[in-house]
Amino acid sequence: MKQDLHAEVTARIVAQLETGVRPWMCPWTTGESVAGRPLRATGEPYRGINTLILWEASLIRGYHAPTWITFRQARAEGGTVRRGERGTTVVYSSALTRTDVDPETGEEAETRIPFLKSYTVFNVEQCDGLPDRLTAPLPACPEPERIAAAEAFIEATGARIEAGGGRAFYAPARDMIGMPARTAFRDAHGWYATLLHELTHWTGHPARCHRQFGRRFADQAYAREELVAELGAAFLCADLGVALTPREDHAAYLASWLDVLRADKRAIFQAASFAARAVDYLHTLQAAASGQAVA
């Protein structure tokens, strides 16, 4: 029977949400640092839906190491995957190109048919004999440095932010972010995590990522956009070392997210993709602000 990767991944995430657990909420820390993105053997972070897949696997199985590796990579590094260990399936997009001939004109037209492919990876904690560069804990970053980095990151975006109101929001018509006073949050992490959520909304503006969900999802657009912002904040918090804690008002979104995911097995993939693009855009602004060349 053909494997339905969209359905399998969505079912696992729905199962977590039904228990009240967000699989993108990383509760663990490494030394003084908050856990970051899952990493490939090259040190490159995973993106989009694979970030969620590997965070979920780490959450369920208790892995603390961020690095994931294929069986062949482990062998090439002089190590091995321990007997009996179960791998985790990650995915990537591919496509087939089909050429059709118009029966009336005889002209050829190509149609691109996207689909998912998969492969299996193992956390380095499932392996033996790997070099230290793959298994050594990441260096701890003191909290003051992480907070300073988050402040600099947000400032570099150039977003208009007004603090002092009673709630956090992004107003598209005014293209501005409203935030409560910092004293309204339990700690600095809560302030930055909330602001990073609103910054993800900010990227959806037509002058930036111009995020659209299509007409057939118009009635779910709000819930889908909130899911994008939720994931974008999770990715950014991981990148910046900010602890992501659930916001009280987000408990109300769980039911709407479940409705979206149950109705559309591709919704979480789309949300993760949009969130990844938003985060990439915000990182691009950092390079622009520092005068570096933007690829």
Side-chain angles (χ1 to χ4, degrees), residues 7-291:
E8 290 179 14
V9 172
T10 298
R12 293 203 306 270
I13 291 175
V14 165
Q16 292 286 323
L17 290 175
E18 286 176 336
T19 67
V21 175
R22 296 173 174 85
W24 52 85
M25 298 286 295
C26 299
W28 60 92
T29 59
T30 303
E32 294 183 341
S33 296
V34 174
R37 303 264 200 127
L39 302 177
R40 302 178 187 274
T42 59
E44 176 189 1
Y46 281 90
R47 301 177 71 255
I49 195 67
N50 285 328
T51 302
L52 303 188
I53 290 171
L54 296 177
W55 271 346
E56 183 211 18
S58 294
L59 181 65
I60 292 173
R61 303 180 196 175
Y63 301 141
H64 289 77
T67 305
W68 296 78
I69 195 167
T70 66
F71 185 87
R72 288 186 177 181
Q73 287 172 333
R75 292 285 296 272
E77 293 288 352
T80 185
V81 176
R82 286 192 294 274
R83 186 181 297 276
E85 290 288 349
R86 180 164 56 93
T88 300
T89 301
V90 292
V91 300
Y92 64 97
S93 298
S94 188
L96 293 174
T97 301
R98 186 181 67 194
T99 302
D100 297 314
V101 178
D102 189 311
E104 296 183 1
T105 66
E107 295 182 354
E108 294 185 348
E110 290 188 347
T111 303
R112 186 175 182 273
I113 306 172
F115 65 94
L116 284 182
K117 297 188 75 172
S118 66
Y119 62 99
T120 300
V121 294
F122 299 86
N123 189 274
V124 294
E125 293 181 14
Q126 297 176 273
C127 304
D128 293 319
L130 294 176
D132 289 345
R133 66 179 179 80
L134 294 175
T135 60
L138 295 177
C141 181
E143 181 169 334
E145 292 183 22
R146 287 183 275 138
I147 295 301
E151 184 71 31
F153 182 95
I154 292 167
E155 183 177 354
T157 67
R160 179 184 166 196
I161 301 167
E162 297 181 5
R167 63 189 181 92
F169 64 91
Y170 168 63
R174 298 171 59 196
D175 194 23
M176 57 81 65
I177 293 171
M179 285 287 293
R182 297 190 186 220
T183 54
F185 294 83
R186 286 185 298 179
D187 54 28
H189 289 271
W191 159 271
Y192 287 110
T194 300
L195 184 46
L196 291 172
H197 176 104
E198 301 306 333
L199 265 179
T200 305
H201 283 311
W202 177 82
T203 65
H205 190 277
R208 301 177 192 104
C209 296
H210 197 192
R211 196 158 45 247
Q212 296 178 308
F213 297 98
R215 290 183 179 179
R216 69 191 183 103
F217 298 130
D219 60 335
Q220 295 180 338
Y222 184 81
R224 287 173 180 262
E225 172 61 19
E226 281 300 326
L227 185 55
V228 171
E230 179 86 357
L231 299 182
F235 296 163
L236 289 167
C237 284
D239 291 345
L240 298 171
V242 173
L244 180 62
T245 54
R247 285 169 47 173
E248 291 182 5
D249 60 341
H250 281 187
Y253 290 122
L254 281 175
S256 61
W257 291 339
L258 282 168
D259 287 342
V260 168
L261 298 188
R262 288 171 181 149
D264 180 4
K265 65 184 179 182
R266 288 177 168 80
I268 191 65
F269 289 78
Q270 182 194 53
S273 178
F274 278 154
R277 292 178 202 169
V279 170
D280 288 347
Y281 175 81
L282 292 170
H283 278 291
T284 300
L285 297 180
Q286 311 306 303
S290 64

